[in-house]
Amino acid sequence: MLAAVTLSLLRGLMTTLELFFLTLLFALPLGLLISFGSMSRLTPLRGVTKGIVWVIRGTPLMLQILVIFYGPGLLFGLPLLPRFTAALVSFVINYACYFSEIFRGGIQSVPAGQYEAGQVLGMTRPQIFFRITLLQVIKRIVPPMSNEFITLVKDTALVRIISVYEIIWMGESYIKKGMIWPLFYTAVFYLAVNGLLTLLFGRFEKKLSYFR
Amino acid sequence: MPVLEVKNIEKRFGTTHVLRDITFSLEEGQALAIIGSSGSGKTTLLRCLNFLERPDKGSIAVRNELLFDAADPATQQEAQVRRKRLHFGLVFQSFNLFPQYTALENVTLACKLLAQEQPDFRTGKACILKEINERAYTLLEQMGLSERAGHYPHQLSGGQQQRVAIARALAMSPDILCFDEPTSALDPELTGEVLRVIRSLAERRTTMIIVTHEMAFARDVADQILFMDGGVIIEQGEARQVIDSPRQERTRQFLSRYFAG
């Protein structure tokens, strides 16, 4: 029995991990783009970006999943997005907004003197960003990012609301057969994934500890 | 012929008039010290020379080449500002070394990036990079830091960091090297080692502008002194004359606070 349950939970875990990695793949660059928007010198662009970030961070992710899945059909009569795609789209938008704030904090925490030192040495803006600022930003955002990554692993459980068969869904399905323990058993998988993430982030942080 | 000519520079931040009608010139191989109390506009003036601030009025020329004229937008194009900056070097009060690079890499980074733009960079790459490294190493040696070349900034004392910053600025071979209160962030014990380096640069006739609160140092090392107050040049002249027998009452007041004890 244990083997059968483990196998079906592993299938659920695959969906969970797929959502996790795809969200990161799209949300990290999108988040950087949004952070540039929220730091823009153009007031309207900055206003719009900050408005979007406010709405996305100010409403529950579960609601966003429902709106993206059912919204286009109910409002405009469009065909529904595939369930997994709808889940992915809402996760990407949601996490990009959180990432953008982390990026903004990281970028703005690099002292102005670093930019100025680069400028005075005749470096171009891209050179200053890639050669001087970027690594300092990365170093500063590693701890808050590890939080977000771990939260993301657990947030994937929300997609069961639109019947994406991730790991909690799989565990829950055993309740109908009179078994509650497979649901509790899912915790082991979350702990394993997040344990691995914690380890990797710890290593990365150590790697960047050669400078201050 | 002066190497630097600054004419009628004005700068406002909002309603605050930070610089008013600043005019002075500097001869090749001379050191100019700028003194004055905090908020007198000394740092803003240096930042204008390094194109970190844009003056509202006035002009800046180096070796008769007009680098900036507030009345002529053609002199303010962003793409050219970058090249113009290379006429000046700037050593900051807070060092501003790049923390993720070693002392040697701090000195070579900008040189290497600039070298990449040379047309013959690809063919002579190894040779060019070797030259840059050797020159940087020589500069660090001059600063008494040859043993610290592989250290990261956080492994160095403040005085050592500032000397790396000086080597970094010198590596770009600027026409004029500017110092913005180079010892103000240092303990008294570390101040000496940085001042010694600046003194040796003066002895080698490096053209310099030094914003400083070290009056005795300014008197001994600088050829000219410029005293500023409230964004205006109150007095300028030969260094010993300005310190020992200032002509203006305001200068006397300012100096008496330094030499009272």
Side-chain angles (χ1 to χ4, degrees):
Chain A
M1 194 69 232
L2 179 67
V5 168
T6 305
L7 222 65
S8 93
L9 289 188
L10 276 175
R11 265 212 316 282
L13 184 69
M14 283 308 120
T15 308
T16 295
L17 290 179
E18 205 179 330
L19 186 58
F20 172 77
F21 284 115
L22 287 174
T23 300
L24 291 181
L25 183 69
F26 296 111
L28 285 169
L30 183 61
L32 191 61
L33 218 65
I34 297 174
S35 78
F36 289 147
S38 65
M39 290 183 290
S40 168
R41 265 175 275 177
L42 304 169
T43 318
L45 178 59
R46 204 173 56 233
V48 169
T49 330
K50 293 208 161 181
I52 293 170
V53 172
W54 170 60
V55 170
I56 298 298
R57 293 203 306 171
T59 56
L61 176 53
M62 186 185 281
L63 194 58
Q64 291 162 18
I65 297 169
L66 290 170
V67 166
I68 297 225
F69 184 59
Y70 294 111
L74 291 175
L75 295 175
F76 310 108
L78 296 169
L80 291 180
L81 284 172
R83 287 165 196 278
F84 184 82
T85 313
L88 180 61
V89 169
S90 27
F91 269 74
V92 168
I93 295 173
N94 184 277
Y95 271 82
C97 286
Y98 280 97
F99 289 158
S100 80
E101 282 298 284
I102 293 178
F103 288 139
R104 188 176 64 84
I107 291 171
Q108 290 181 339
S109 73
V110 175
Q114 292 288 310
Y115 297 93
E116 291 176 354
Q119 284 180 318
V120 167
L121 291 165
M123 295 168 70
T124 62
R125 275 165 160 268
Q127 284 172 345
I128 293 172
F129 181 74
F130 288 108
R131 301 302 188 111
I132 300 175
T133 328
L134 186 61
L135 195 62
Q136 296 182 44
V137 171
I138 291 174
K139 184 183 168 83
R140 276 158 222 247
I141 64 176
V142 167
M145 271 298 172
S146 85
N147 263 340
E148 287 301 310
F149 277 42
I150 287 170
T151 308
L152 172 57
V153 172
K154 295 174 294 176
D155 272 358
T156 54
L158 290 171
V159 300
R160 57 178 288 290
I161 196 79
I162 55 169
S163 306
V164 175
Y165 302 151
E166 46 66 63
I167 184 164
I168 292 276
W169 175 284
M170 297 306 235
E172 216 179 354
S173 66
Y174 284 94
I175 293 179
K176 281 175 281 183
K177 298 171 194 162
M179 286 189 286
I180 189 78
W181 64 266
L183 183 59
F184 297 162
Y185 183 29
T186 59
V188 173
F189 296 82
Y190 284 109
L191 283 172
V193 172
N194 283 332
L196 187 66
L197 278 177
T198 308
L199 223 69
L200 288 176
F201 269 102
R203 260 203 213 161
F204 190 49
E205 218 175 311
K206 208 166 172 191
K207 223 174 190 169
L208 287 176
S209 67
Y210 72 92
F211 73 91
R212 270 180 215 148
Chain B
M1 188 194 90
V3 63
L4 171 68
E5 273 180 291
V6 175
K7 282 184 189 149
N8 314 104
I9 293 284
E10 304 258 335
K11 177 71 188 171
R12 285 169 194 271
F13 290 125
T15 54
T16 324
H17 215 149
V18 194
L19 295 175
R20 294 169 205 254
D21 200 24
I22 300 290
T23 299
F24 68 93
S25 64
L26 182 61
E27 296 290 330
E28 182 96 55
Q30 296 232 307
L32 170 74
I34 302 179
I35 60 173
S37 44
S38 304
S40 59
K42 309 179 302 278
T43 295
T44 307
L45 176 56
L46 273 198
R47 291 174 61 85
C48 285
L49 293 180
N50 284 277
F51 301 91
L52 293 175
E53 305 286 352
R54 178 180 303 205
D56 301 319
K57 282 188 198 158
S59 69
I60 300 168
V62 170
R63 298 190 199 285
N64 266 342
E65 180 196 346
L66 185 66
L67 296 186
F68 176 86
D69 187 346
D72 181 3
T75 64
Q76 296 167 33
Q77 285 165 12
E78 187 61 38
Q80 288 164 25
V81 164
R82 197 192 141 216
R83 290 245 155 214
K84 290 173 181 176
R85 282 200 175 104
L86 294 173
H87 288 287
F88 297 89
L90 179 59
V91 175
F92 298 86
Q93 181 178 347
S94 48
F95 330 135
N96 295 341
L97 291 183
F98 308 130
Q100 72 266 44
Y101 293 115
T102 62
L104 189 72
E105 288 165 342
N106 262 279
V107 179
T108 56
L109 178 66
C111 299
K112 287 181 177 169
L113 291 173
L114 200 63
Q116 284 173 12
E117 292 169 26
Q118 286 173 18
D120 60 342
F121 180 72
R122 261 154 206 262
T123 49
K125 190 173 170 181
C127 184
I128 293 172
L129 293 182
K130 189 167 167 261
E131 240 169 67
I132 291 175
N133 272 330
E134 277 170 6
R135 196 171 122 67
Y137 196 78
T138 312
L139 282 168
L140 285 177
E141 222 166 19
Q142 263 178 43
M143 299 294 131
L145 291 169
S146 44
E147 258 121 70
R148 296 280 183 274
H151 286 55
Y152 288 95
H154 77 269
Q155 299 168 318
L156 301 171
S157 72
Q160 290 170 336
Q161 286 189 53
Q162 191 61 301
R163 284 184 282 151
V164 174
I166 295 173
R168 181 175 72 174
L170 283 170
M172 305 305 288
S173 312
D175 293 315
I176 299 145
L177 184 55
C178 303
F179 292 86
D180 184 13
E181 302 190 21
T183 59
S184 294
L186 297 174
D187 296 339
E189 304 126 80
L190 300 177
T191 302
E193 64 188 57
V194 171
L195 294 184
R196 260 196 303 284
V197 164
I198 301 175
R199 188 187 294 265
S200 77
L201 290 176
E203 279 158 10
R204 257 175 271 162
R205 316 273 3 132
T206 311
T207 314
M208 296 188 286
I209 300 176
I210 310 159
V211 168
T212 184
H213 290 297
E214 304 281 338
M215 293 308 142
F217 173 76
R219 179 186 178 281
D220 292 347
V221 171
D223 301 288
Q224 298 281 315
I225 282 187
L226 199 152
F227 170 61
M228 287 179 69
D229 190 41
V232 184
I233 298 179
I234 303 283
E235 180 163 357
Q236 56 181 317
E238 199 257 319
R240 274 155 213 262
Q241 175 259 307
V242 173
I243 300 280
D244 297 340
S245 46
R247 296 205 179 94
Q248 302 294 326
E249 179 52 31
R250 183 70 196 87
T251 318
R252 263 194 289 278
Q253 274 175 9
F254 173 76
L255 288 171
S256 68
R257 261 183 283 147
Y258 278 91
F259 294 108

